[in-house]
Amino acid sequence: MLQARRQQERPGTAVGILCKKIRYLEFQKKVYLKSGIGEETYLPPFIFHDPPIQPSMKQARLEAAEVMFGAMDELLEKTGLNPQDIDILIASCSCFTPTPSLASMVVNHYKMRSNVCSLNLGGMGCSGGMVAVDLAKHLLRSFASSNPVIINTENITLNWYRGNNRSMLISICLFRVGAAAILLSNKRSERNRAKYQLYCSVRTHTAADDKAFQSAFQEEDEDGLVGISLSKHIMIAAADAIKENMTQLGSLVLPYSEQLRFLISCFSPKIFQTAGKAYVPNFKLAFQHFLIHTGGRAVLDGIQNKLSLSNDHMEASRMTLHRFGNTSSSSIWYALAYLEAKERVKKTDRIWLVGLGAGFKCNSVVLKALRTVKQPSMNPWLDCLHKYPMKISTDMTDIFRSDKLLYRTNSGKLFDCMKGQRIETDHV
């Protein structure tokens, strides 16, 4: 009898496949519960289609159009900018690079000028937003009196992993749909309207190291299904990239006293033949606000500990992760929108934006507030701002059944992980 049962449940049979599927769903549920992501994030419609359907290029384009055009419409309305006045257009999406490009989609939709300088960034990972800002900075040195617009997004439809490789399943537990549009200008007439001045930008790339290069890697699994694999070295790669980036950034923003302490800590062990850790500069002396890419709870925890930041410093990033998830290159702008919605940006404040991405890359952008920023009339946080900040707990009560994967949320309601929706208690 025991031998017959083992034969029945071996992989490949209906029962064996079901048990294997439930194990992987259980793994995804545990990752999700510990991620710090809430219940109101956004995923593309095909995921919730019943019966299930295969994603297509058409659906991916629809996803891209909905978020990009929505962000652009809001930007044009808030600034009063005419699409014909846009001189430079930079679109950034890491894993979805169709032909014609996403930048061309925007040009076509808004009927922009034929001489608009359009660029499309792909493969830059979650740091694409900071790369786009740095690129715009350099272009503005050649284009006088110009209006560049940056659109940051990520596309999930054609990058949703359907296999069982655990290193690839982690990414689909974290990534969500989102987009942001940013207007820059080097026109003197726009200074009175501008909220921020681009103080400096620093880009760091560690792809020369093989482990860093492969720490976040898009590839096929053993079944030929494409996904983004996150290796066990990713946190080490991130730490090395951040350290190198901070070293370069420190010379531009830190007081001379902090720079001197850092140099002494670096050279004294070599001079006096003593062992000791390098001094971590106090970046709180240089910045009033810290906006860290919402790559996940572990990323935020690691940077907070490394820089000795308070919970108040990390609030915008943690709340963004909870409300919107990891929206890749646009996530940093959701965090900035949180500060603006809370009216925390005061005149002369300096804001450090840190983007982390595959490669491995760490890119920093520093903004200086030209005025005290009032709560905007349009902001992605306005409909839920009253709930934040909130205490984000990863200690949720699990309820397991063979036909369902359920957990009880902080609000006491049940959530079905297999269907991706709330359910009523009396239906269980």
Side-chain angles (χ1 to χ4, degrees), residues 250-264 281:
S251 62
L252 301 175
V253 299
L254 286 173
Y256 291 125
S257 58
E258 282 297 297
Q259 295 185 45
L260 181 60
R261 292 183 68 180
F262 176 72
L263 289 174
I264 292 174

Side-chain angles (χ1 to χ4, degrees), residues 87-113:
D87 304 292
I88 302 170
L89 176 67
I90 303 174
S92 171
C93 184
S94 186
C95 295
F96 182 56
T97 53
T99 302
S101 67
L102 296 180
S104 296
M105 285 176 59
V106 177
V107 172
N108 174 262
H109 182 78
Y110 292 97
K111 308 304 177 187
M112 295 181 183
R113 303 194 319 261

Side-chain angles (χ1 to χ4, degrees), residues 47 86 109 174 202 214 225 243 267 273 310 317 323 335 338 366 373 382 385:
I47 292 176
I86 297 175
H109 182 78
L174 301 176
V202 175
Q214 296 174 354
L225 299 173
K243 179 181 178 181
F267 290 107
Q273 301 295 316
S310 68
S317 294
R323 175 61 183 85
Y338 180 86
V366 178
V373 180
L382 294 184
L385 191 62

Side-chain angles (χ1 to χ4, degrees), residues 13-194:
T13 64
V15 175
I17 292 174
L18 178 60
C19 292
K20 186 176 181 180
K21 178 182 178 182
I22 290 177
R23 284 199 301 271
Y24 285 117
L25 284 171
E26 179 73 9
F27 168 75
Q28 288 178 267
K29 184 186 72 168
K30 289 180 179 178
V31 172
Y32 172 71
L33 293 180
K34 295 179 180 180
S35 68
I37 296 177
E39 306 161 46
E40 297 179 340
T41 56
Y42 304 108
L43 288 168
F46 90 92
I47 292 176
F48 304 102
H49 198 279
D50 193 12
I53 59 174
Q54 289 294 325
S56 65
M57 176 64 76
K58 181 180 179 180
Q59 292 167 334
R61 285 186 177 275
L62 289 174
E63 177 194 336
E66 183 174 0
V67 292
M68 288 196 310
F69 299 161
M72 272 293 293
D73 288 344
E74 187 171 317
L75 176 71
L76 296 175
E77 184 178 349
K78 289 170 66 174
T79 60
L81 187 71
N82 189 301
Q84 294 292 316
D85 297 329
I86 297 175
D87 304 292
I88 302 170
L89 176 67
I90 303 174
S92 171
C93 184
S94 186
C95 295
F96 182 56
T97 53
T99 302
S101 67
L102 296 180
S104 296
M105 285 176 59
V106 177
V107 172
N108 174 262
H109 182 78
Y110 292 97
K111 308 304 177 187
M112 295 181 183
R113 303 194 319 261
S114 60
N115 65 341
V116 63
C117 178
S118 65
L119 303 99
N120 204 91
L121 301 180
M124 292 295 169
C126 302
S127 66
M130 304 299 96
V131 174
V133 172
D134 185 73
L135 174 60
K137 179 187 73 174
H138 289 286
L139 288 173
L140 285 173
R141 292 174 178 172
S142 301
F143 291 80
S145 299
S146 298
N147 291 322
V149 168
I150 297 171
I151 300 179
N152 296 139
T153 188
E154 191 54 78
N155 194 279
I156 293 179
T157 298
L158 285 184
N159 295 286
W160 187 259
Y161 178 64
R162 293 180 174 272
N164 296 320
N165 186 309
R166 291 197 173 194
S167 65
M168 295 180 175
L169 286 171
I170 294 174
S171 61
I172 67 173
C173 296
L174 301 176
F175 283 95
R176 297 294 187 268
V177 175
I182 305 94
L183 170 65
L184 294 82
S185 182
N186 61 354
K187 294 183 177 181
R188 292 183 180 275
S189 59
E190 296 293 340
R191 184 175 179 85
N192 292 332
R193 288 209 307 158

Side-chain angles (χ1 to χ4, degrees), residues 322-366:
H322 182 269
R323 175 61 183 85
F324 296 101
N326 181 353
T327 59
S328 191
S329 57
S330 66
S331 66
I332 208 80
W333 305 113
Y334 282 94
L336 181 59
Y338 180 86
L339 291 181
E340 294 185 355
K342 289 287 187 179
E343 297 189 342
R344 293 181 181 172
V345 180
K346 309 302 180 183
K347 186 176 180 179
T348 72
D349 280 1
R350 288 201 291 187
I351 309 169
W352 184 14
L353 289 72
V354 183
L356 303 170
F360 199 87
K361 296 182 286 294
C362 177
N363 301 314
S364 292
V365 166
V366 178

Side-chain angles (χ1 to χ4, degrees), residues 350-417:
R350 288 201 291 187
I351 309 169
W352 184 14
L353 289 72
V354 183
L356 303 170
F360 199 87
K361 296 182 286 294
C362 177
N363 301 314
S364 292
V365 166
V366 178
L367 301 178
K368 182 179 179 181
L370 297 176
R371 56 185 169 88
T372 298
V373 180
K374 301 296 182 182
Q375 187 181 86
S377 58
M378 288 180 283
N379 186 290
W381 291 91
L382 294 184
D383 64 337
C384 59
L385 191 62
H386 62 282
K387 298 189 294 184
Y388 292 94
M390 67 166 61
K391 182 180 179 182
I392 300 174
S393 173
T394 57
D395 183 20
M396 298 183 181
T397 304
D398 287 335
I399 303 174
F400 179 78
R401 280 179 46 174
S402 59
D403 59 336
K404 293 183 181 292
L405 282 172
L406 311 176
Y407 75 86
R408 190 176 300 280
T409 68
N410 288 327
S411 60
K413 296 183 179 180
L414 292 177
F415 190 84
D416 190 332
C417 294

